[in-house]
């Protein structure tokens, strides 16, 4: 089983208790007070971490794009958070006891997150999968990396992982991801979690979810997903970039509970019977019963016995060792035949 240790000391690994990340994206609409409330709600419903986006108009799109899409620059600027705001939010998260992380879109933004915000890991967006120079720069920071793989072929994922490995960073979590917002179940291909684990066995595998509902993240836990990332909002009715497909607090709480129940139910691969189940065996299994009235001197044969509940007598699995032995006590019809009733 693969695992890595975050900068907080938390171990993240396949089939361990899943680490739940609330992706806040732009659902704060650039309002730091809304962002703080989101952090508080994420903590309240049981998330382990809140994750923001560290972008600016300069780090996200080129000027050619803005010249054609004139409203885009205003929107990106409106929804972005400054370094001062990010640091304030990281302090707020620390104060209430929830991890703070963010996705940087430049190396300067990443350095700020590591040095000033003390993030437990750096999240790498799916769009960076083929950005090998940037992957190398991030790897050189020496902190744990979480790599989303949306829009990537298996070959592209392999090249990205190799770029990180060659840069000397082995603290990597790989997330299966389908970069459609929202993603319908027929294109999610959740078994890719197992495929990624088979191909990259030295790294833990998680899941970045863009589906509607709680079932698919919970199902990913059954496949051993170590980290679950889910878009989070206070109000999905508001019009925003990805806000309409984000999960509100009550549903997020249900998802987390479902994930934890699935993890608890997974247990281990070793066959272990609980005491409760052993007690059930006594109630529900069968024991040797007299089919006719037996008298001392009679012989135990298959024609004079049958098997009925409860299971605290001679079990069917061992009845043959008692065949053709004499009965030493009188046994009524329908009564359980005990070892003391048979000549030893």
């Amino acid at each position: 089983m693969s695992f890595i240790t975050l900068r907080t000391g938390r171990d993240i690994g396949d089939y361990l208790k899943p680490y739940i990340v609330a992706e806040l994206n732009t659902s704060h609409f650039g309002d730091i007070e809304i962002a703080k409330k989101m952090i508080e709600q994420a903590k309240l419903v049981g998330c382990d971490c809140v994750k923001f986006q560290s972008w600016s108009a300069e780090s996200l799109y080129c000027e050619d794009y803005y010249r054609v899409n004139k409203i885009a620059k205003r929107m990106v600027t409106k929804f972005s958070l400054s370094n001062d705001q990010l640091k304030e939010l990281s302090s707020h998260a620390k104060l209430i006891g929830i991890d703070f992380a963010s996705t940087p879109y430049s190396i300067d933004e990443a350095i700020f997150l590591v040095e000033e915000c003390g993030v437990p890991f750096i999240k790498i967006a799916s769009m960076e999968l083929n950005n090998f120079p940037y992957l190398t720069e991030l790897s050189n920071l020496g902190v744990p990396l979480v790599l989303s793989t949306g829009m990537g072929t298996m070959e592209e994922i392999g090249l990205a992982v190799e770029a990180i490995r060659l840069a000397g960073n082995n603290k990597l979590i790989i997330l299966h991801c389908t970069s459609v917002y929202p993603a319908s179940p027929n294109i999610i291909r959740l078994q890719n979690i197992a495929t990624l684990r088979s191909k990259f066995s030295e790294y833990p595998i998680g899941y970045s979810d863009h589906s509607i509902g709680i079932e698919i993240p919970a199902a990913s836990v059954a496949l051993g997903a170590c980290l679950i990332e889910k878009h989070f909002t206070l109000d999905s009715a508001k019009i925003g970039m990805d806000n309409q497909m984000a999960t509100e607090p009550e549903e997020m709480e249900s998802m987390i509970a479902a994930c934890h129940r699935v993890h608890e139910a997974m247990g281990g691969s070793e066959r272990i019977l609980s005491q409760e189940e052993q007690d059930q065996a006594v109630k529900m299994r069968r024991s040797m019963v007299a089919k006719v009235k037996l008298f001392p001197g009679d012989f135990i044969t298959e024609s004079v016995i049958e098997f009925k509940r409860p299971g605290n007598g001679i079990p069917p699995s061992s009845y043959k060792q008692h065949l053709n032995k004499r009965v030493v006590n009188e046994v009524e019809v329908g009564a359980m035949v005990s070892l003391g009733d048979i000549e030893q």
Side-chain angles (χ1 to χ4, degrees):
M1 182 181 71
S2 300
F3 75 93
I4 70 164
T5 303
L6 301 183
R7 296 176 81 202
T8 56
R10 168 80 178 259
D11 288 338
I12 307 294
D14 296 332
Y15 295 100
L16 296 182
K17 184 178 181 180
Y19 182 79
I20 309 295
V21 178
E23 166 62 87
L24 275 54
N25 197 20
T26 60
S27 291
H28 48 72
F29 299 94
D31 187 323
I32 192 169
E33 294 306 318
I34 293 177
K36 287 180 179 179
K37 290 177 183 176
M38 294 178 77
I39 293 172
E40 292 161 6
Q41 282 295 307
K43 169 67 176 178
L44 189 63
V45 301
C47 296
D48 298 299
C49 179
V50 290
K51 192 184 75 63
F52 289 83
Q53 303 279 335
S54 295
W55 66 37
S56 66
E58 290 69 33
S59 64
L60 202 55
Y61 290 104
C62 68
E63 286 301 322
D64 285 346
Y65 178 85
Y66 290 133
R67 276 191 286 271
V68 176
N69 302 275
K70 298 187 183 301
I71 195 173
K73 193 167 190 176
R74 293 199 300 272
M75 292 294 289
V76 169
T77 301
K78 172 180 171 57
F79 288 130
S80 66
L81 296 167
S82 69
N83 281 351
D84 286 344
Q85 288 175 317
L86 287 168
K87 190 166 183 179
E88 184 176 346
L89 291 172
S90 71
S91 297
H92 188 67
K94 184 176 181 180
L95 183 66
I96 66 172
I98 188 171
D99 290 351
F100 170 92
S102 189
T103 301
Y105 290 83
S106 71
I107 190 61
D108 289 339
E109 290 165 347
I111 291 171
F112 176 82
L113 291 171
V114 171
E115 295 183 354
E116 299 297 328
C117 298
V119 292
F121 59 87
I122 286 291
K123 171 66 191 298
I124 306 174
S126 291
M127 61 176 271
E128 312 291 5
L129 200 61
N130 65 347
N131 189 354
F132 304 136
Y134 185 50
L135 295 179
T136 299
E137 287 181 314
L138 292 176
S139 300
N140 288 335
L141 295 177
V143 301
L145 303 176
V146 177
L147 175 68
S148 272
T149 58
M151 305 174 290
T153 65
M154 192 58 70
E155 181 182 8
E156 288 174 324
I157 297 169
L159 291 171
V161 171
E162 182 69 359
I164 292 169
R165 187 189 68 79
L166 289 175
N169 192 327
N170 63 355
K171 294 175 284 190
L172 174 65
I173 297 171
I174 302 171
L175 303 186
H176 171 51
C177 178
T178 304
S179 293
V180 178
Y181 306 83
S184 57
N186 65 303
I187 65 170
I188 287 176
R189 302 188 70 80
L190 206 57
Q191 290 192 75
N192 274 206
I193 291 172
T195 303
L196 289 169
R197 183 175 296 115
S198 175
K199 186 169 179 63
F200 306 107
S201 57
E202 63 270 47
Y203 304 114
I205 308 299
Y207 175 54
S208 180
D209 181 63
H210 297 143
S211 70
I212 300 296
I214 70 173
E215 302 88 353
I216 293 172
S220 76
V221 177
L223 291 169
C226 64
L227 182 154
I228 310 295
E229 183 180 70
K230 181 79 167 173
H231 281 244
F232 183 66
T233 182
L234 298 181
D235 183 1
S236 61
K238 289 185 177 180
I239 304 299
M241 290 186 180
D242 299 323
N243 191 64
Q244 291 94 318
M245 54 79 64
T247 303
E248 293 183 356
E250 185 176 355
E251 187 178 29
M252 181 69 90
E253 186 172 30
S254 296
M255 186 205 80
I256 293 170
C259 287
H260 289 166
R261 284 197 301 272
V262 170
H263 176 258
E264 184 179 18
M266 288 293 291
S269 58
E270 183 183 359
R271 183 71 177 180
I272 297 176
L273 295 180
S274 66
Q275 186 59 53
E276 291 89 344
E277 198 170 11
Q278 293 177 55
D279 293 342
Q280 283 289 79
V282 175
K283 298 174 184 177
M284 299 180 70
R285 287 187 170 179
R286 296 174 183 259
S287 299
M288 185 188 293
V289 172
K291 194 174 182 179
V292 299
K293 186 170 182 177
L294 300 176
F295 296 93
D298 288 346
F299 288 93
I300 297 293
T301 63
E302 291 185 348
S303 64
V304 301
I305 59 171
E306 56 187 348
F307 299 94
K308 295 183 179 181
R309 289 180 177 181
N312 58 344
I314 298 172
S317 55
S318 64
Y319 85 97
K320 286 189 176 181
Q321 62 187 276
H322 303 293
L323 289 178
N324 302 316
K325 291 185 177 180
R326 292 180 184 276
V327 175
V328 296
N329 297 317
E330 189 174 295
V331 183
E332 295 294 331
V333 177
M336 195 178 292
V337 181
S338 69
L339 286 175
D341 296 324
I342 302 172
E343 184 180 53
Q344 299 302 311

